[in-house]
Amino acid sequence: MKVTKKIVLSEHDMPTQWYNIVADMPTKPLPMLHPATKQPIKPEEMEGLFAKALVEQEFSQERYIDIPDEVRDLYRIYRPTPLVRASGLEKALDTPAKIYFKNESVSPVGSHKLNSAIPQAYFNKIQGIKHMTTETGAGQWGSALSIACKHFGLDLKVYMVKISYNQKPYRKSVMQTYGAQVIASPSDTTEVGRRMLAEYPGTAGSLGMAISEAVEVAMTQPDTRYGLGSVLNHVILHQTIIGQEAKKQMEIAGDYPDVVIGCFGGGSNFCGISFPFLRDNFVEGKKTRFIAAEPASCPKLTRGKFEYDFGDSEGFTPLLPMFTLGHDFEPASIHAGGLRYHGAGTIVSQLLKDNLIEATDVNQLDSFKAGVLFAQAEGIIPAPESTHAIAAAIREALKAKEEGSEKVILFNLSGHGLIDMASYDRYFAGELQNYAVSDEEIARNVAKLEKLA
Ligand SMILES: *Cc1c(COP(=O)(O)O)cnc(C)c1O
């Protein structure tokens, strides 16, 4: 039997709107709180930090939001992305399950991050903003925002988590090639960075710290705004273009997923592929399962607590009601740098709390093992982050084999790993390890949070 290998859409089939799941959620997320007053934050209080249109999207209850033509023009460079039937992986696993993946690695920067970087730079540009700041972990978000800012004539300062700055020098080169300024965080260029260096000498940095630095600069410099690559509602909104395309493509393939899987850092690619399908559970009574795959060393969804917490380590951001390990949590130095984040975002956290989605964890060695199997079966070397989704998809496919079920599995290939080969080298050399997080450590960090939920 011949299987369809790849389903491509034409440019004309590219979605014209983003999908806002808040409109369809049975329980709406709790409000974000102002970090100082602990009262629900008002949109205008966030406008010093983010472009106005993005703040509007952050609070929007509208089901669909138009994608501006200028944004669609840039999306067209790499979108619609292909949906691929992973027949090589199916064969390698000898599973009756049908496995599909949405290939977001085909974007020029090699990941899904560009889907939000383009609109963020655009909405800042049309408001007359001149400078943006951001943080980056593995460097994927920084790369995406660098080229997006270049397209729209904005300059960009990227605070890059120190461990990634050292482990992934080529991502820094990518950002510099696109014209951004890259600074290892924590740095001595901000007040908060200097404080962190004094408090934790030799720290490898964390996303939380880098966010604090980027936010400080945005709040204190004129015509400057900050851009975040995940977690927030407007970022997740932009990523729903992934799932909307995938829905059309699955329809062409003649299948509908029983399980949808994404790796999970702050939630943007998982939510992006899941939410358009999750809507069918809400309005059409479908019973699709949604699985967020997180690293065992940073287990906010599987072992964290639902509390109000800050998005950064200093408490500059609004308080978000979310599953969190506490903003002081310092994740182990795993190579999936994009998944080293303590929190989860408000929408996805509410959905998990209401048992409408699931979460699973994957340890570092299993994630690389899955990545190598996938590379050899499908020819694409996945980003260390994406290997977590692959590992979870493999688990589901092997379960299907035990059950003799032909279930349909869809996962998001959030990015390729061609700039992460140093990590693969270390895996092959036997230098990588798994990291355990103790219940005490989690409890200790979470206990510090003020109980506001
Ligand atoms: C940033 C990143 C992730 C994690 O971020 P999410 O917001 O959870 O999607 C996953 N995969 C890749 C390739 C990334 O660059």
Side-chain angles (χ1 to χ4, degrees), residues 8-15 18 67 71-83 102-108 111-116 118-119 238-246 249 272-273 412-414:
V8 265
L9 297 174
S10 85
E11 282 183 18
H12 308 291
D13 294 321
M14 198 173 72
W18 293 298
I67 307 175
V71 171
R72 279 169 49 83
D73 280 346
L74 287 172
Y75 276 172
R76 270 195 214 101
I77 294 171
Y78 62 101
R79 306 209 70 88
T81 61
L83 180 82
K102 180 75 165 152
N103 187 2
E104 291 295 306
S105 82
V106 301
S107 94
S111 79
H112 68 288
K113 295 288 199 319
L114 206 48
N115 300 332
S116 185
I118 293 169
H238 302 151
Q239 295 293 353
T240 58
I241 192 160
I242 303 173
Q244 292 186 74
E245 285 179 9
Q249 289 163 309
I273 190 153
N412 193 42
L413 183 70
S414 53

Side-chain angles (χ1 to χ4, degrees), residues 18 51-54 57 65-68 70-72 74-75 78-79 112-127 132 141 144-145 147-149 151-152 154 227-228 234-241:
W18 293 298
K52 223 172 151 151
L54 297 170
Q57 293 171 7
I65 293 172
D66 288 342
I67 307 175
E70 293 87 337
V71 171
R72 279 169 49 83
L74 287 172
Y75 276 172
Y78 62 101
R79 306 209 70 88
H112 68 288
K113 295 288 199 319
L114 206 48
N115 300 332
S116 185
I118 293 169
Q120 288 194 39
Y122 168 77
F123 288 116
N124 274 282
K125 163 77 184 175
I126 58 167
Q127 190 183 318
M132 287 190 75
W141 168 245
L145 195 60
I147 188 58
C149 281
H151 280 311
F152 291 111
L154 301 166
L228 187 63
H234 67 270
V235 183
I236 282 156
L237 172 81
H238 302 151
Q239 295 293 353
T240 58
I241 192 160

Side-chain angles (χ1 to χ4, degrees), residues 111-113 140 229-230 263-269 338-339 383 385-386 414-415:
S111 79
H112 68 288
K113 295 288 199 319
Q140 303 260 28
S230 187
C263 66
F264 198 98
S268 76
N269 92 91
L339 306 186
E385 290 83 5
S386 315
S414 53

Side-chain angles (χ1 to χ4, degrees), residues 263-315:
C263 66
F264 198 98
S268 76
N269 92 91
F270 167 75
C271 299
I273 190 153
S274 297
F275 287 178
F277 291 100
L278 183 52
R279 172 158 209 265
D280 289 354
N281 279 15
F282 294 158
V283 301
E284 288 178 23
K286 293 261 197 219
K287 298 273 187 282
T288 307
R289 294 170 56 216
F290 298 88
I291 305 175
E294 67 181 2
S297 57
C298 193
K300 61 250 184 181
L301 298 177
T302 50
R303 296 171 62 198
K305 207 156 172 268
F306 186 90
E307 288 290 355
Y308 268 99
D309 196 5
F310 298 108
D312 66 327
S313 61
E314 277 304 288

